[in-house]
Amino acid sequence: MIISMKLHATKEEVATVRRRIEEFGYKVHSIEGEERVVIGVVGVGDVTACLESLEATPGVEKAVRISAPYKFVSREFRPNKTEITVRGVTFGGSEFVVMAGPCSVENERQILESAEIVARAGAKFLRGGAFKPRTSPYDFQGLAVEGLKLLDQARRATGLGIITEVMSDGDVNLVAEYADILQIGARNMQNFALLKTLGRCGRPVLLKRGMSSTIKELLMSAEYIVAHGNPQVMLCERGIRTFETATRNTCDLAAIAALDELTHLPVILDPSHATGKRSLVPALSRAAVAIGADGLLVEVHPAPEKALSDGAQSLDPKQFAAMMQDLSPYLKLWERSRMAEVAAAR
Ligand code: PEP
Ligand code: MN
C-alpha cells in the first residue's frame, strides 16, 4: 500500500497513520517527502479494512493498494525521478551521463589509456570488468583484485568515477571498496542472494536487464535491492534475446520509454551489448538521447582488434570522440526537454 498524506499534514497526523498501519499488522517501510509525505507500507493483512480506515484518518489524502508487484521502485510510490549523485555527477537529473571504457580490465597500460581516452571525450565514469561473466570457461575471466587496483589507479590518474561488475554476493564488499558504482550483469539479474547483499553495500547499483527478462522482472529485481535497504539503483537496457540474428541482441528501445512511465529510477542504455557491432553504437546512442534515457554505458578500447573480450562491439578512440561530438546537438534538445519535465513536476 501507499499512503499519500495531504499537503502539509502535521507530524501528529503522520504518527497516527503510522500507528494505525501497525495496528493492522503492517510495517512502515519508508516515509518520503517533506511537504507532501508518502508512506510505503509492506506486509500481509486485511488490505480493504486497512485502506478504509486510513482513508478516514485525518491528514490522509489517498490510500492505495499497489497493483504492480513492485512498490518502492514504482512511479506511483515516487512521482519524481530519483537522482543519484556519485562523485559530484548526478544521474536522473539535468545531466546525461556517459560511462565508457573497455569490456575487461586487461593490464595497466590498457586501462590507463582507456581512462584518458574516455575522459578526454567527455565521459564521467570509466567502465571495465575485473570479474568477467564469460560463456566459455576457457575465455579470459578477468584480473579480479588486480583489476580493481588498476581501476583505482585510473581513477586517481583521471578523476573519473569507476563502474565495475560484481558477480557474487561474496565479492560485494571487496568490489564496493574500489568501485563507485556496482554493475550487476545481465546473467545475474535474478541472483537473489546477490541482490539482497546489494541492499547493504552502501554504493549505487547499475542493474542490467537479463537477456530473457521482462520489464516487470527487471523492476522486481530492482525492488529486491531497494527493499533490502539501498534506494540507489539504476536500470540498464542492454538488449534481449529474440529470433533476430543480425545483431548480437535486440535493443529494446521501447523499454526505456516504458520504464520511464513505470519507475522513478534512472535508466541507462548499453548500446554495445545491445547490438554487438561497433558500427551500430553511435546510432543507438543518439536514439537513447532522443528517447529520454539518463545516460549511456559504452565499450571503448584503445585497440579493439587486440581486446581480450568484446572487441567487435568496442569503439576505438577516434570513433568514441566522434560519437561524443555528434551527440552534442541531441544533448542540447535532451537538456531542454529534461528542464521542461523538471519544471512540470514542480
Ligand atoms: C559487460 O558489461 O561487459 C557485460 C558482461 O554485460 P552484460 O552483463 O550486459 O552481458
Ligand atoms: Mn562486454
Side-chain angles (χ1 to χ4, degrees):
M1 278 176 287
I2 287 176
I3 320 300
S4 300
M5 300 298 292
K6 288 194 172 130
L7 205 61
H8 307 302
T10 65
K11 280 207 177 85
E12 291 70 32
E13 286 170 335
V14 174
T16 307
V17 167
R18 180 189 262 272
R19 260 200 314 280
R20 194 139 304 168
I21 289 165
E22 286 162 0
E23 280 161 17
F24 273 92
Y26 287 97
K27 231 175 87 188
V28 171
H29 179 276
S30 53
I31 300 191
E32 302 262 332
E34 283 176 10
E35 285 190 344
R36 186 186 291 282
V37 172
V38 180
I39 306 173
V41 181
V42 289
V44 188
D46 187 340
V47 178
T48 315
C50 186
L51 286 175
E52 279 174 8
S53 163
L54 289 171
E55 290 240 293
T57 305
V60 172
E61 171 88 35
K62 217 164 52 176
V64 286
R65 177 184 200 157
I66 296 298
S67 44
Y70 45 84
K71 291 185 178 67
F72 303 119
V73 304
S74 72
R75 274 273 191 193
E76 280 162 298
F77 181 58
R78 187 187 287 175
N80 292 341
K81 270 191 94 101
T82 283
E83 293 191 0
I84 300 176
T85 302
V86 196
R87 292 174 69 88
V89 179
T90 301
F91 294 85
S94 53
E95 188 177 355
F96 184 89
V97 185
V98 177
M99 300 173 272
C103 180
S104 306
V105 181
E106 298 170 3
N107 55 59
E108 180 177 344
R109 185 159 165 215
Q110 173 250 16
I111 198 66
L112 289 177
E113 266 185 44
S114 300
E116 274 160 26
I117 289 159
V118 303
R120 210 179 305 130
K124 293 287 162 66
F125 287 83
L126 174 67
R127 63 147 291 149
F131 293 92
K132 294 304 302 176
R134 304 306 301 278
T135 303
S136 164
Y138 309 115
D139 287 343
F140 177 59
Q141 304 286 309
L143 297 179
V145 186
E146 184 51 31
L148 296 174
K149 290 186 177 152
L150 292 176
L151 286 168
D152 180 44
Q153 203 179 321
R155 169 171 48 205
R156 281 187 275 117
T158 57
L160 289 170
I162 298 297
I163 172 165
T164 193
E165 178 162 354
V166 55
M167 285 170 38
S168 99
D169 51 319
D171 289 334
V172 167
N173 287 342
L174 170 72
V175 180
E177 254 179 63
Y178 292 90
D180 298 296
I181 303 173
L182 301 184
Q183 176 179 324
I184 304 307
R187 290 154 192 83
N188 271 314
M189 190 201 86
Q190 287 188 315
N191 178 339
F192 299 115
L194 177 57
L195 299 179
K196 287 180 193 170
T197 310
L198 293 167
R200 302 181 294 274
C201 72
R203 292 260 181 250
V205 172
L206 179 117
L207 178 65
K208 289 187 136 193
R209 179 180 181 183
M211 54 190 92
S212 307
S213 299
T214 63
I215 290 172
K216 186 158 133 192
E217 286 164 340
L218 172 62
L219 289 168
M220 289 306 290
S221 290
E223 183 84 3
Y224 258 90
I225 305 171
V226 178
H228 280 83
N230 185 357
Q232 298 202 297
V233 180
M234 297 180 247
L235 305 173
C236 180
E237 167 60 37
R238 47 77 74 205
I240 50 174
R241 282 245 165 107
T242 68
F243 52 80
E244 183 54 71
T245 54
T247 47
R248 180 178 178 185
N249 290 291
T250 295
C251 182
D252 186 5
L253 276 176
I256 298 173
L259 284 167
D260 190 51
E261 285 186 1
L262 297 170
T263 180
H264 50 82
L265 300 177
V267 180
I268 305 296
L269 176 70
D270 171 347
S272 311
H273 292 85
T275 59
K277 285 189 177 166
R278 78 171 63 89
S279 64
L280 302 179
V281 168
L284 267 294
S285 299
R286 288 196 297 275
V289 177
I291 208 162
D294 295 287
L296 290 170
L297 181 70
V298 190
E299 287 188 337
V300 179
H301 194 285
E305 69 287 357
K306 293 191 193 145
L308 296 183
S309 58
D310 287 348
Q313 65 193 34
S314 301
L315 298 175
D316 72 19
K318 268 200 182 137
Q319 288 162 339
F320 181 61
M323 180 185 100
M324 291 294 276
Q325 270 211 330
D326 293 346
L327 278 184
S328 87
Y330 297 87
L331 288 173
K332 289 210 173 74
L333 292 172
W334 183 96
E335 277 158 23
R336 276 218 321 252
S337 85
R338 187 52 70 93
M339 302 282 213
E341 260 172 56
V342 172
R346 284 199 188 116

